[in-house]
Amino acid sequence: MAIIDVVKWNAQADELVWKFPSEQLTTSSRLIVSTSQEAFLVLGGEITGPFLPGTHILDTNNIPLLKHLINIPFGGSSPFSAEVWFVQKTSRLNLLWGTMEPVQLLDPKFNIPVPVRCFGQFGIRISDSLLFLQKLVGTRTSFSTEQLTEQFKAMVQTKVNALIASAIGGSSCSIFEINRHLEELSGNLAEKIRPGFVEFGVDLVNFFVQSVNFPQNDPAVTALRESLSKRADMTIRGYNYTQERSFDVLQGAAENEGTAGMFAGAGLGLGMGAAAGASVAPAFAQSVSGILNTAAPAAGNRCANCQSCLPENAKFCPECGNPLQVSCCGKILPAGTKFCPECGNPLQNPKVNQ
């Protein structure tokens, strides 16, 4: 194999770590490390580095270990064999995460189990290149962002599931309202997840929860959405569920034919009103009073002659024709008055007030 004079990065853009394909070097070979990169040499199982951005000649001045591993003649160039590893230290901010299966969580407001799914994005940067090489790369010849995402997927999902369950269960916030708190949730998750990355020489630059959603066809989700829609409608109309049931009973009582049906319906309504409490009682009592007053004339408004019920402001009894008012001296007097209180005129044959 030919001796390599120049060693530099020549990998795909999504690679985080890349091993130079040839190990045939000389003490005059140049190692070129680009900006935001670090390089390491592996000689006889020992790691030398890091080599920071710039151009490095692979001689004994830069690699003291060479004096102990190879016999370098005075002057000239001496070949030796070594692995060269490059580590890319730029931040990668477009890594995606998500829950594989919906997580069953109990909604704290409605006490209904709802399947929840979460999705988001996070960013990383290799902070300790040597630790990353030793703990994650191993014998691989390269390590990509996709491999890193796969490596941390289980840890991220476990932390996300536990924290979302804790955040929702420890508050009065409904699962349907959780998207209003995504910024706070993202910050809490980042703090919980970061130590798991640091252990492998990776810094978690950011972590975002972009969406908390639910399978739309799940029966629990459908039932909860309908309940929320119903509650919103009642809020707009200005009453609650108990009041709505009381109003339904009152309407049924008012529409029921016959005195027995009316009072049976009213009695049931009173029971519902009592369960509703003080907030429902005034409106309920007013409604019952309206029903009863509409159904029959007030007690005492009857004809003195035949005891028939009289319409309001009637001048004659609609049953027997008995006059209900008389007049004298320009005044209207009750029927049955024998003398005018103004002039004393006898009213035995009173003139009916027309």
Side-chain angles (χ1 to χ4, degrees):
M1 183 179 289
I3 300 297
I4 302 299
D5 293 326
V6 178
V7 180
K8 64 179 182 179
W9 173 277
N10 189 26
Q12 299 295 325
D14 66 333
E15 299 291 349
L16 293 170
V17 174
W18 180 69
K19 177 185 174 183
F20 191 76
S22 176
E23 300 180 10
Q24 303 305 311
L25 309 174
T26 71
T27 53
S28 62
S29 297
R30 289 180 299 157
L31 173 62
I32 300 175
V33 182
S34 300
T35 304
S36 72
Q37 291 179 352
E38 288 181 350
F40 294 85
L41 266 68
V42 180
L43 295 166
E46 297 188 40
I47 298 179
T48 299
F51 293 88
L52 301 180
T55 301
H56 307 271
I57 303 299
L58 301 182
D59 56 16
T60 56
N61 292 326
N62 290 323
I63 313 174
L65 189 61
L66 286 174
K67 294 180 181 180
H68 306 285
L69 296 179
I70 58 177
N71 183 20
I72 302 177
F74 181 78
S77 177
S78 299
F80 66 95
S81 179
E83 297 177 359
V84 180
W85 291 86
F86 290 90
V87 178
Q88 192 71 265
K89 302 195 70 174
T90 54
S91 297
R92 306 299 174 95
L93 305 178
N94 60 344
L95 308 182
L96 303 178
W97 65 269
T99 52
M100 296 182 63
E101 298 292 338
V103 183
Q104 290 291 332
L105 298 178
L106 190 66
D107 189 283
K109 270 193 176 181
F110 305 99
N111 204 35
I112 297 176
V114 178
V116 177
R117 297 181 300 195
C118 304
F119 300 93
Q121 182 174 306
F122 67 97
I124 59 94
R125 186 182 70 87
I126 297 177
S127 56
D128 190 329
S129 302
L130 183 57
L131 185 61
F132 188 80
L133 284 170
Q134 291 173 328
K135 284 203 166 186
L136 278 183
V137 179
T139 59
R140 298 182 178 95
T141 57
S142 65
F143 198 89
S144 66
T145 54
E146 182 179 353
Q147 287 173 304
L148 183 138
T149 303
E150 187 68 24
Q151 189 75 31
F152 288 100
K153 179 171 65 176
M155 184 268 288
V156 169
Q157 289 184 351
T158 300
K159 297 287 187 180
V160 166
N161 294 349
L163 188 60
I164 288 183
S166 175
I168 293 176
S171 70
S172 59
C173 178
S174 171
I175 292 173
F176 284 94
E177 301 167 346
I178 195 65
N179 281 315
R180 294 187 301 177
H181 305 277
L182 291 185
E183 183 175 357
E184 178 184 357
L185 191 61
S186 297
N188 292 338
L189 274 170
E191 292 303 315
K192 295 289 185 182
I193 292 173
R194 183 169 284 111
F197 283 87
V198 172
E199 180 183 351
F200 295 91
V202 180
D203 180 30
L204 185 66
V205 177
N206 54 44
F207 190 92
F208 298 109
V209 181
Q210 295 176 310
S211 175
V212 178
N213 55 46
F214 328 92
Q216 298 300 316
N217 58 350
D218 185 87
V221 175
T222 302
L224 194 50
R225 286 192 184 279
E226 291 176 353
S227 297
L228 287 173
S229 177
K230 184 74 170 180
R231 188 180 70 171
D233 181 65
M234 290 180 180
T235 300
I236 293 172
R237 295 173 183 269
Y239 59 90
N240 59 30
Y241 176 79
T242 307
Q243 288 174 317
E244 183 192 33
R245 297 298 303 131
S246 298
F247 297 153
D248 290 343
V249 171
L250 286 172
Q251 183 178 5
E255 294 176 352
N256 197 1
E257 296 182 0
T259 303
M262 177 186 66
F263 282 101
L268 179 57
L270 284 169
M272 294 292 290
S279 62
V280 184
F284 182 84
Q286 184 178 0
S287 300
V288 172
S289 176
I291 295 174
L292 296 178
N293 289 337
T294 303
N301 192 17
R302 297 178 179 276
C303 175
N305 183 47
C306 67
Q307 299 301 312
S308 297
C309 295
L310 299 174
E312 187 178 358
N313 298 325
K315 298 177 181 179
F316 296 90
C317 175
E319 294 294 330
C320 66
N322 183 50
L324 306 178
Q325 296 175 344
V326 294
S327 63
C328 185
C329 298
K331 296 182 178 296
I332 298 176
L333 305 174
T337 304
K338 297 181 178 181
F339 296 92
C340 175
E342 295 291 330
C343 65
N345 183 47
L347 302 175
Q348 294 179 352
N349 297 308
K351 178 182 177 182
V352 175
N353 180 32
Q354 300 294 333

